[in-house]
Amino acid sequence: FNGGSALSVTDGVAARAVATTFVASASSMLTWLALERILKGKSTSVGASVGAVAGLVCITPAAGFVTPGWSIAIGALGAPWCFATVELMNRINLVDDTLDAFGLHGSGGIAGAILTGIFAVEDGLIYSGSFLLLGKQIAGAMAGVAFSAVGTAIIVGVMKLLLKLRIPEDQEAGGVDQHTHGESYHSPVKQYPKAKSSDVSESTEQPSETV
């Protein structure tokens, strides 16, 4: 998606966006697995998937504007930021972020926008020594946060007038699919006919053939 968003393929931006997207995702995934290993004692397949998504989110603002080498740094720096945000959100009982929408996409997008101002080719802080682009990126990220907060508040306010935002806790614990939609997320376990006692005794009495 990052490569496809480039307006032209003749200037190398699309190819750079594709390369940096893959590299940042891999870097973030490895960093996330390392954090799990260090802080929780073991790495998980879920952590690998979440870490890869964190890298994709962080690199998106910078995909066409940084080199593949610096995309490694963006993935490695974005992963701890998203990891800490996800852990914090999971400990706040007043926030229900089951899919880590803010922990990954919100927080990762902010981190990626800011890191773009540091690592962007030519105008980034490490290339130009100027904080101009970094300041613009921070201002843009904060403007995005404000716009999203106001827009979400309006949408949620309208929804509260029309329907309930949450189901009862007992239904949530029992499974939303079953209580709300009358279906389960998996097929029922297939029931096999029980063997007759005579069949079982006959099978045990027959001697096994030897070769």
mmCIF file of all heavy atoms in Angstrom, residues 40-94:
data_model
loop_
_atom_site.group_PDB
_atom_site.id
_atom_site.type_symbol
_atom_site.label_atom_id
_atom_site.label_comp_id
_atom_site.label_asym_id
_atom_site.label_seq_id
_atom_site.Cartn_x
_atom_site.Cartn_y
_atom_site.Cartn_z
ATOM 1 N N LYS A 40 9.157 -10.575 29.435
ATOM 2 C CA LYS A 40 8.150 -11.567 29.802
ATOM 3 C C LYS A 40 8.675 -12.991 29.826
ATOM 4 O O LYS A 40 7.928 -13.916 30.137
ATOM 5 C CB LYS A 40 6.955 -11.462 28.854
ATOM 6 C CG LYS A 40 6.256 -10.111 28.912
ATOM 7 C CD LYS A 40 5.006 -10.090 28.051
ATOM 8 C CE LYS A 40 4.272 -8.762 28.174
ATOM 9 N NZ LYS A 40 3.021 -8.745 27.369
ATOM 10 N N GLY A 41 9.923 -13.176 29.434
ATOM 11 C CA GLY A 41 10.531 -14.492 29.534
ATOM 12 C C GLY A 41 10.409 -15.357 28.305
ATOM 13 O O GLY A 41 11.105 -16.363 28.180
ATOM 14 N N LYS A 42 9.539 -15.016 27.365
ATOM 15 C CA LYS A 42 9.391 -15.810 26.145
ATOM 16 C C LYS A 42 8.775 -14.962 25.039
ATOM 17 O O LYS A 42 8.029 -14.020 25.292
ATOM 18 C CB LYS A 42 8.517 -17.042 26.398
ATOM 19 C CG LYS A 42 7.114 -16.723 26.865
ATOM 20 C CD LYS A 42 6.314 -17.992 27.113
ATOM 21 C CE LYS A 42 4.914 -17.675 27.619
ATOM 22 N NZ LYS A 42 4.125 -18.921 27.852
ATOM 23 N N SER A 43 9.111 -15.312 23.822
ATOM 24 C CA SER A 43 8.546 -14.649 22.648
ATOM 25 C C SER A 43 7.349 -15.448 22.156
ATOM 26 O O SER A 43 7.308 -16.672 22.289
ATOM 27 C CB SER A 43 9.599 -14.528 21.543
ATOM 28 O OG SER A 43 10.734 -13.815 22.003
ATOM 29 N N THR A 44 6.388 -14.767 21.546
ATOM 30 C CA THR A 44 5.161 -15.416 21.108
ATOM 31 C C THR A 44 4.904 -15.128 19.633
ATOM 32 O O THR A 44 5.401 -14.145 19.076
ATOM 33 C CB THR A 44 3.961 -14.930 21.931
ATOM 34 O OG1 THR A 44 3.756 -13.520 21.690
ATOM 35 C CG2 THR A 44 4.197 -15.165 23.412
ATOM 36 N N SER A 45 4.110 -16.000 19.024
ATOM 37 C CA SER A 45 3.720 -15.788 17.628
ATOM 38 C C SER A 45 2.805 -14.575 17.501
ATOM 39 O O SER A 45 2.862 -13.844 16.501
ATOM 40 C CB SER A 45 3.015 -17.034 17.076
ATOM 41 O OG SER A 45 1.887 -17.365 17.860
ATOM 42 N N VAL A 46 1.968 -14.352 18.519
ATOM 43 C CA VAL A 46 1.122 -13.154 18.520
ATOM 44 C C VAL A 46 1.983 -11.901 18.575
ATOM 45 O O VAL A 46 1.722 -10.903 17.880
ATOM 46 C CB VAL A 46 0.134 -13.187 19.698
ATOM 47 C CG1 VAL A 46 -0.652 -11.886 19.791
ATOM 48 C CG2 VAL A 46 -0.812 -14.366 19.567
ATOM 49 N N GLY A 47 3.024 -11.949 19.395
ATOM 50 C CA GLY A 47 3.934 -10.816 19.477
ATOM 51 C C GLY A 47 4.630 -10.539 18.155
ATOM 52 O O GLY A 47 4.841 -9.377 17.784
ATOM 53 N N ALA A 48 4.973 -11.597 17.433
ATOM 54 C CA ALA A 48 5.596 -11.415 16.120
ATOM 55 C C ALA A 48 4.647 -10.712 15.163
ATOM 56 O O ALA A 48 5.046 -9.795 14.426
ATOM 57 C CB ALA A 48 6.016 -12.764 15.553
ATOM 58 N N SER A 49 3.388 -11.120 15.168
ATOM 59 C CA SER A 49 2.394 -10.503 14.283
ATOM 60 C C SER A 49 2.150 -9.051 14.662
ATOM 61 O O SER A 49 2.117 -8.162 13.802
ATOM 62 C CB SER A 49 1.082 -11.286 14.334
ATOM 63 O OG SER A 49 1.276 -12.627 13.954
ATOM 64 N N VAL A 50 2.000 -8.808 15.956
ATOM 65 C CA VAL A 50 1.748 -7.445 16.426
ATOM 66 C C VAL A 50 2.954 -6.555 16.156
ATOM 67 O O VAL A 50 2.812 -5.398 15.750
ATOM 68 C CB VAL A 50 1.388 -7.456 17.926
ATOM 69 C CG1 VAL A 50 1.269 -6.039 18.465
ATOM 70 C CG2 VAL A 50 0.093 -8.209 18.152
ATOM 71 N N GLY A 51 4.145 -7.094 16.367
ATOM 72 C CA GLY A 51 5.347 -6.311 16.107
ATOM 73 C C GLY A 51 5.495 -5.940 14.647
ATOM 74 O O GLY A 51 5.911 -4.825 14.315
ATOM 75 N N ALA A 52 5.133 -6.861 13.750
ATOM 76 C CA ALA A 52 5.189 -6.558 12.319
ATOM 77 C C ALA A 52 4.208 -5.454 11.958
ATOM 78 O O ALA A 52 4.531 -4.550 11.173
ATOM 79 C CB ALA A 52 4.894 -7.818 11.508
ATOM 80 N N VAL A 53 3.008 -5.508 12.538
ATOM 81 C CA VAL A 53 2.017 -4.461 12.282
ATOM 82 C C VAL A 53 2.514 -3.116 12.810
ATOM 83 O O VAL A 53 2.337 -2.074 12.166
ATOM 84 C CB VAL A 53 0.669 -4.829 12.930
ATOM 85 C CG1 VAL A 53 -0.315 -3.670 12.836
ATOM 86 C CG2 VAL A 53 0.084 -6.056 12.262
ATOM 87 N N ALA A 54 3.140 -3.121 13.969
ATOM 88 C CA ALA A 54 3.686 -1.880 14.521
ATOM 89 C C ALA A 54 4.703 -1.271 13.571
ATOM 90 O O ALA A 54 4.723 -0.044 13.365
ATOM 91 C CB ALA A 54 4.325 -2.155 15.884
ATOM 92 N N GLY A 55 5.548 -2.104 12.970
ATOM 93 C CA GLY A 55 6.515 -1.591 12.005
ATOM 94 C C GLY A 55 5.854 -1.013 10.775
ATOM 95 O O GLY A 55 6.283 0.025 10.242
ATOM 96 N N LEU A 56 4.795 -1.666 10.296
ATOM 97 C CA LEU A 56 4.064 -1.155 9.135
ATOM 98 C C LEU A 56 3.450 0.205 9.424
ATOM 99 O O LEU A 56 3.470 1.109 8.575
ATOM 100 C CB LEU A 56 2.967 -2.149 8.731
ATOM 101 C CG LEU A 56 3.432 -3.495 8.168
ATOM 102 C CD1 LEU A 56 2.236 -4.418 7.949
ATOM 103 C CD2 LEU A 56 4.182 -3.301 6.856
ATOM 104 N N VAL A 57 2.897 0.353 10.618
ATOM 105 C CA VAL A 57 2.276 1.621 10.979
ATOM 106 C C VAL A 57 3.325 2.720 11.105
ATOM 107 O O VAL A 57 3.141 3.837 10.592
ATOM 108 C CB VAL A 57 1.498 1.484 12.298
ATOM 109 C CG1 VAL A 57 0.952 2.830 12.747
ATOM 110 C CG2 VAL A 57 0.358 0.491 12.127
ATOM 111 N N CYS A 58 4.426 2.433 11.762
ATOM 112 C CA CYS A 58 5.449 3.452 12.005
ATOM 113 C C CYS A 58 6.123 3.916 10.715
ATOM 114 O O CYS A 58 6.476 5.090 10.582
ATOM 115 C CB CYS A 58 6.498 2.920 12.974
ATOM 116 S SG CYS A 58 5.909 2.700 14.668
ATOM 117 N N ILE A 59 6.293 3.019 9.763
ATOM 118 C CA ILE A 59 7.017 3.386 8.556
ATOM 119 C C ILE A 59 6.132 4.092 7.542
ATOM 120 O O ILE A 59 6.636 4.769 6.635
ATOM 121 C CB ILE A 59 7.649 2.128 7.892
ATOM 122 C CG1 ILE A 59 8.677 2.526 6.833
ATOM 123 C CG2 ILE A 59 6.574 1.250 7.301
ATOM 124 C CD1 ILE A 59 9.819 3.380 7.327
ATOM 125 N N THR A 60 4.819 3.955 7.667
ATOM 126 C CA THR A 60 3.919 4.513 6.657
ATOM 127 C C THR A 60 4.113 6.009 6.413
ATOM 128 O O THR A 60 4.184 6.440 5.257
ATOM 129 C CB THR A 60 2.452 4.211 7.034
ATOM 130 O OG1 THR A 60 2.241 2.799 6.989
ATOM 131 C CG2 THR A 60 1.486 4.883 6.069
ATOM 132 N N PRO A 61 4.221 6.856 7.446
ATOM 133 C CA PRO A 61 4.446 8.283 7.151
ATOM 134 C C PRO A 61 5.793 8.556 6.477
ATOM 135 O O PRO A 61 5.933 9.559 5.773
ATOM 136 C CB PRO A 61 4.383 8.938 8.540
ATOM 137 C CG PRO A 61 3.680 7.958 9.406
ATOM 138 C CD PRO A 61 4.069 6.618 8.879
ATOM 139 N N ALA A 62 6.763 7.665 6.682
ATOM 140 C CA ALA A 62 8.122 7.930 6.204
ATOM 141 C C ALA A 62 8.536 7.075 5.023
ATOM 142 O O ALA A 62 9.655 7.207 4.525
ATOM 143 C CB ALA A 62 9.116 7.693 7.352
ATOM 144 N N ALA A 63 7.654 6.194 4.551
ATOM 145 C CA ALA A 63 8.054 5.146 3.602
ATOM 146 C C ALA A 63 8.789 5.666 2.383
ATOM 147 O O ALA A 63 9.810 5.104 1.979
ATOM 148 C CB ALA A 63 6.808 4.354 3.167
ATOM 149 N N GLY A 64 8.315 6.730 1.764
ATOM 150 C CA GLY A 64 8.956 7.226 0.547
ATOM 151 C C GLY A 64 10.013 8.278 0.782
ATOM 152 O O GLY A 64 10.573 8.824 -0.176
ATOM 153 N N PHE A 65 10.311 8.567 2.046
ATOM 154 C CA PHE A 65 11.190 9.701 2.348
ATOM 155 C C PHE A 65 12.433 9.327 3.145
ATOM 156 O O PHE A 65 13.230 10.201 3.477
ATOM 157 C CB PHE A 65 10.399 10.769 3.120
ATOM 158 C CG PHE A 65 9.152 11.212 2.425
ATOM 159 C CD1 PHE A 65 7.918 10.700 2.796
ATOM 160 C CD2 PHE A 65 9.212 12.120 1.378
ATOM 161 C CE1 PHE A 65 6.761 11.096 2.150
ATOM 162 C CE2 PHE A 65 8.056 12.520 0.714
ATOM 163 C CZ PHE A 65 6.828 12.008 1.093
ATOM 164 N N VAL A 66 12.597 8.046 3.481
ATOM 165 C CA VAL A 66 13.783 7.604 4.209
ATOM 166 C C VAL A 66 14.452 6.479 3.433
ATOM 167 O O VAL A 66 13.845 5.843 2.568
ATOM 168 C CB VAL A 66 13.433 7.118 5.636
ATOM 169 C CG1 VAL A 66 12.816 8.240 6.456
ATOM 170 C CG2 VAL A 66 12.485 5.924 5.590
ATOM 171 N N THR A 67 15.694 6.216 3.754
ATOM 172 C CA THR A 67 16.420 5.128 3.103
ATOM 173 C C THR A 67 16.092 3.809 3.793
ATOM 174 O O THR A 67 15.651 3.796 4.952
ATOM 175 C CB THR A 67 17.928 5.379 3.180
ATOM 176 O OG1 THR A 67 18.340 5.374 4.565
ATOM 177 C CG2 THR A 67 18.295 6.719 2.546
ATOM 178 N N PRO A 68 16.301 2.684 3.105
ATOM 179 C CA PRO A 68 16.067 1.384 3.760
ATOM 180 C C PRO A 68 16.877 1.206 5.030
ATOM 181 O O PRO A 68 16.422 0.556 5.981
ATOM 182 C CB PRO A 68 16.479 0.384 2.675
ATOM 183 C CG PRO A 68 16.227 1.100 1.386
ATOM 184 C CD PRO A 68 16.595 2.537 1.663
ATOM 185 N N GLY A 69 18.077 1.773 5.058
ATOM 186 C CA GLY A 69 18.897 1.665 6.265
ATOM 187 C C GLY A 69 18.261 2.347 7.456
ATOM 188 O O GLY A 69 18.215 1.790 8.563
ATOM 189 N N TRP A 70 17.763 3.552 7.252
ATOM 190 C CA TRP A 70 17.127 4.265 8.347
ATOM 191 C C TRP A 70 15.767 3.674 8.699
ATOM 192 O O TRP A 70 15.263 3.881 9.804
ATOM 193 C CB TRP A 70 16.983 5.749 8.025
ATOM 194 C CG TRP A 70 18.258 6.508 8.102
ATOM 195 C CD1 TRP A 70 18.867 7.219 7.109
ATOM 196 C CD2 TRP A 70 19.119 6.633 9.241
ATOM 197 N NE1 TRP A 70 20.035 7.776 7.544
ATOM 198 C CE2 TRP A 70 20.219 7.425 8.861
ATOM 199 C CE3 TRP A 70 19.074 6.144 10.547
ATOM 200 C CZ2 TRP A 70 21.250 7.744 9.734
ATOM 201 C CZ3 TRP A 70 20.105 6.463 11.421
ATOM 202 C CH2 TRP A 70 21.182 7.255 11.020
ATOM 203 N N SER A 71 15.160 2.932 7.768
ATOM 204 C CA SER A 71 13.890 2.276 8.102
ATOM 205 C C SER A 71 14.098 1.189 9.154
ATOM 206 O O SER A 71 13.169 0.864 9.906
ATOM 207 C CB SER A 71 13.259 1.683 6.836
ATOM 208 O OG SER A 71 14.012 0.600 6.333
ATOM 209 N N ILE A 72 15.301 0.635 9.210
ATOM 210 C CA ILE A 72 15.615 -0.305 10.287
ATOM 211 C C ILE A 72 15.518 0.399 11.633
ATOM 212 O O ILE A 72 14.954 -0.131 12.602
ATOM 213 C CB ILE A 72 17.021 -0.904 10.094
ATOM 214 C CG1 ILE A 72 17.104 -1.674 8.776
ATOM 215 C CG2 ILE A 72 17.381 -1.815 11.270
ATOM 216 C CD1 ILE A 72 18.490 -2.213 8.482
ATOM 217 N N ALA A 73 16.053 1.610 11.690
ATOM 218 C CA ALA A 73 16.004 2.381 12.933
ATOM 219 C C ALA A 73 14.572 2.744 13.296
ATOM 220 O O ALA A 73 14.189 2.701 14.474
ATOM 221 C CB ALA A 73 16.847 3.642 12.786
ATOM 222 N N ILE A 74 13.766 3.085 12.292
ATOM 223 C CA ILE A 74 12.377 3.446 12.570
ATOM 224 C C ILE A 74 11.624 2.248 13.144
ATOM 225 O O ILE A 74 10.851 2.378 14.099
ATOM 226 C CB ILE A 74 11.694 3.970 11.290
ATOM 227 C CG1 ILE A 74 12.285 5.330 10.907
ATOM 228 C CG2 ILE A 74 10.180 4.067 11.481
ATOM 229 C CD1 ILE A 74 11.705 5.920 9.640
ATOM 230 N N GLY A 75 11.841 1.072 12.571
ATOM 231 C CA GLY A 75 11.199 -0.123 13.107
ATOM 232 C C GLY A 75 11.674 -0.458 14.509
ATOM 233 O O GLY A 75 10.885 -0.827 15.385
ATOM 234 N N ALA A 76 12.977 -0.317 14.740
ATOM 235 C CA ALA A 76 13.553 -0.642 16.048
ATOM 236 C C ALA A 76 13.139 0.359 17.122
ATOM 237 O O ALA A 76 13.016 0.010 18.300
ATOM 238 C CB ALA A 76 15.078 -0.699 15.950
ATOM 239 N N LEU A 77 12.927 1.623 16.728
ATOM 240 C CA LEU A 77 12.506 2.633 17.698
ATOM 241 C C LEU A 77 10.995 2.655 17.882
ATOM 242 O O LEU A 77 10.496 2.943 18.980
ATOM 243 C CB LEU A 77 12.981 4.027 17.234
ATOM 244 C CG LEU A 77 14.484 4.258 17.223
ATOM 245 C CD1 LEU A 77 14.811 5.605 16.591
ATOM 246 C CD2 LEU A 77 15.057 4.185 18.636
ATOM 247 N N GLY A 78 10.271 2.333 16.818
ATOM 248 C CA GLY A 78 8.820 2.348 16.912
ATOM 249 C C GLY A 78 8.266 1.192 17.727
ATOM 250 O O GLY A 78 7.247 1.336 18.412
ATOM 251 N N ALA A 79 8.925 0.046 17.680
ATOM 252 C CA ALA A 79 8.439 -1.126 18.403
ATOM 253 C C ALA A 79 8.377 -0.898 19.922
ATOM 254 O O ALA A 79 7.345 -1.200 20.540
ATOM 255 C CB ALA A 79 9.302 -2.347 18.077
ATOM 256 N N PRO A 80 9.431 -0.400 20.569
ATOM 257 C CA PRO A 80 9.330 -0.164 22.025
ATOM 258 C C PRO A 80 8.259 0.857 22.379
ATOM 259 O O PRO A 80 7.585 0.728 23.410
ATOM 260 C CB PRO A 80 10.731 0.345 22.398
ATOM 261 C CG PRO A 80 11.622 -0.120 21.310
ATOM 262 C CD PRO A 80 10.789 -0.126 20.065
ATOM 263 N N TRP A 81 8.106 1.872 21.523
ATOM 264 C CA TRP A 81 7.080 2.888 21.769
ATOM 265 C C TRP A 81 5.687 2.256 21.754
ATOM 266 O O TRP A 81 4.878 2.480 22.651
ATOM 267 C CB TRP A 81 7.203 3.986 20.724
ATOM 268 C CG TRP A 81 6.133 5.033 20.777
ATOM 269 C CD1 TRP A 81 4.966 5.051 20.071
ATOM 270 C CD2 TRP A 81 6.130 6.208 21.592
ATOM 271 N NE1 TRP A 81 4.233 6.165 20.385
ATOM 272 C CE2 TRP A 81 4.919 6.895 21.315
ATOM 273 C CE3 TRP A 81 7.014 6.747 22.518
ATOM 274 C CZ2 TRP A 81 4.583 8.094 21.938
ATOM 275 C CZ3 TRP A 81 6.681 7.941 23.140
ATOM 276 C CH2 TRP A 81 5.486 8.598 22.847
ATOM 277 N N CYS A 82 5.409 1.466 20.728
ATOM 278 C CA CYS A 82 4.107 0.801 20.624
ATOM 279 C C CYS A 82 3.936 -0.254 21.719
ATOM 280 O O CYS A 82 2.842 -0.421 22.272
ATOM 281 C CB CYS A 82 3.951 0.158 19.249
ATOM 282 S SG CYS A 82 3.818 1.325 17.882
ATOM 283 N N PHE A 83 5.013 -0.963 22.033
ATOM 284 C CA PHE A 83 4.968 -1.982 23.083
ATOM 285 C C PHE A 83 4.567 -1.357 24.410
ATOM 286 O O PHE A 83 3.705 -1.870 25.125
ATOM 287 C CB PHE A 83 6.330 -2.663 23.192
ATOM 288 C CG PHE A 83 6.362 -3.834 24.125
ATOM 289 C CD1 PHE A 83 6.150 -5.122 23.654
ATOM 290 C CD2 PHE A 83 6.615 -3.665 25.483
ATOM 291 C CE1 PHE A 83 6.180 -6.217 24.510
ATOM 292 C CE2 PHE A 83 6.646 -4.747 26.345
ATOM 293 C CZ PHE A 83 6.437 -6.021 25.856
ATOM 294 N N ALA A 84 5.198 -0.232 24.748
ATOM 295 C CA ALA A 84 4.896 0.438 26.014
ATOM 296 C C ALA A 84 3.467 0.969 26.014
ATOM 297 O O ALA A 84 2.766 0.900 27.031
ATOM 298 C CB ALA A 84 5.883 1.580 26.250
ATOM 299 N N THR A 85 3.015 1.496 24.865
ATOM 300 C CA THR A 85 1.658 2.035 24.792
ATOM 301 C C THR A 85 0.622 0.928 24.949
ATOM 302 O O THR A 85 -0.382 1.093 25.651
ATOM 303 C CB THR A 85 1.444 2.764 23.461
ATOM 304 O OG1 THR A 85 2.458 3.744 23.277
ATOM 305 C CG2 THR A 85 0.083 3.449 23.433
ATOM 306 N N VAL A 86 0.852 -0.207 24.294
ATOM 307 C CA VAL A 86 -0.077 -1.335 24.404
ATOM 308 C C VAL A 86 -0.154 -1.828 25.845
ATOM 309 O O VAL A 86 -1.246 -2.094 26.369
ATOM 310 C CB VAL A 86 0.349 -2.475 23.462
ATOM 311 C CG1 VAL A 86 -0.435 -3.747 23.753
ATOM 312 C CG2 VAL A 86 0.153 -2.075 22.007
ATOM 313 N N GLU A 87 0.988 -1.961 26.498
ATOM 314 C CA GLU A 87 1.001 -2.406 27.890
ATOM 315 C C GLU A 87 0.263 -1.423 28.791
ATOM 316 O O GLU A 87 -0.480 -1.817 29.700
ATOM 317 C CB GLU A 87 2.451 -2.569 28.370
ATOM 318 C CG GLU A 87 3.190 -3.729 27.735
ATOM 319 C CD GLU A 87 2.596 -5.065 28.127
ATOM 320 O OE1 GLU A 87 2.257 -5.248 29.311
ATOM 321 O OE2 GLU A 87 2.459 -5.926 27.240
ATOM 322 N N LEU A 88 0.452 -0.134 28.536
ATOM 323 C CA LEU A 88 -0.216 0.887 29.340
ATOM 324 C C LEU A 88 -1.726 0.848 29.127
ATOM 325 O O LEU A 88 -2.500 0.914 30.092
ATOM 326 C CB LEU A 88 0.331 2.269 28.986
ATOM 327 C CG LEU A 88 -0.318 3.458 29.704
ATOM 328 C CD1 LEU A 88 -0.105 3.357 31.214
ATOM 329 C CD2 LEU A 88 0.241 4.774 29.169
ATOM 330 N N MET A 89 -2.146 0.737 27.873
ATOM 331 C CA MET A 89 -3.576 0.710 27.579
ATOM 332 C C MET A 89 -4.245 -0.515 28.185
ATOM 333 O O MET A 89 -5.392 -0.448 28.633
ATOM 334 C CB MET A 89 -3.795 0.731 26.064
ATOM 335 C CG MET A 89 -3.280 1.981 25.365
ATOM 336 S SD MET A 89 -4.121 3.483 25.907
ATOM 337 C CE MET A 89 -5.751 3.207 25.243
ATOM 338 N N ASN A 90 -3.547 -1.633 28.209
ATOM 339 C CA ASN A 90 -4.123 -2.853 28.779
ATOM 340 C C ASN A 90 -4.263 -2.771 30.299
ATOM 341 O O ASN A 90 -5.045 -3.539 30.885
ATOM 342 C CB ASN A 90 -3.257 -4.060 28.412
ATOM 343 C CG ASN A 90 -3.350 -4.408 26.935
ATOM 344 O OD1 ASN A 90 -4.331 -4.088 26.271
ATOM 345 N ND2 ASN A 90 -2.319 -5.063 26.418
ATOM 346 N N ARG A 91 -3.527 -1.889 30.933
ATOM 347 C CA ARG A 91 -3.603 -1.755 32.390
ATOM 348 C C ARG A 91 -4.609 -0.699 32.825
ATOM 349 O O ARG A 91 -4.898 -0.584 34.019
ATOM 350 C CB ARG A 91 -2.222 -1.402 32.954
ATOM 351 C CG ARG A 91 -1.191 -2.514 32.755
ATOM 352 C CD ARG A 91 0.135 -2.165 33.406
ATOM 353 N NE ARG A 91 1.113 -3.221 33.195
ATOM 354 C CZ ARG A 91 2.351 -3.208 33.704
ATOM 355 N NH1 ARG A 91 2.735 -2.187 34.459
ATOM 356 N NH2 ARG A 91 3.186 -4.198 33.451
ATOM 357 N N ILE A 92 -5.108 0.082 31.889
ATOM 358 C CA ILE A 92 -6.109 1.102 32.211
ATOM 359 C C ILE A 92 -7.491 0.486 32.053
ATOM 360 O O ILE A 92 -7.927 0.173 30.955
ATOM 361 C CB ILE A 92 -5.965 2.333 31.293
ATOM 362 C CG1 ILE A 92 -4.575 2.963 31.463
ATOM 363 C CG2 ILE A 92 -7.052 3.355 31.608
ATOM 364 C CD1 ILE A 92 -4.341 4.147 30.553
ATOM 365 N N ASN A 93 -8.199 0.318 33.154
ATOM 366 C CA ASN A 93 -9.491 -0.359 33.123
ATOM 367 C C ASN A 93 -10.577 0.466 32.449
ATOM 368 O O ASN A 93 -11.606 -0.069 32.043
ATOM 369 C CB ASN A 93 -9.925 -0.709 34.548
ATOM 370 C CG ASN A 93 -8.999 -1.726 35.200
ATOM 371 O OD1 ASN A 93 -8.436 -2.579 34.526
ATOM 372 N ND2 ASN A 93 -8.839 -1.613 36.508
ATOM 373 N N LEU A 94 -10.384 1.775 32.326
ATOM 374 C CA LEU A 94 -11.412 2.626 31.744
ATOM 375 C C LEU A 94 -11.368 2.641 30.222
ATOM 376 O O LEU A 94 -12.248 3.222 29.588
ATOM 377 C CB LEU A 94 -11.259 4.069 32.270
ATOM 378 C CG LEU A 94 -11.413 4.245 33.786
ATOM 379 C CD1 LEU A 94 -11.178 5.687 34.177
ATOM 380 C CD2 LEU A 94 -12.792 3.782 34.243
#
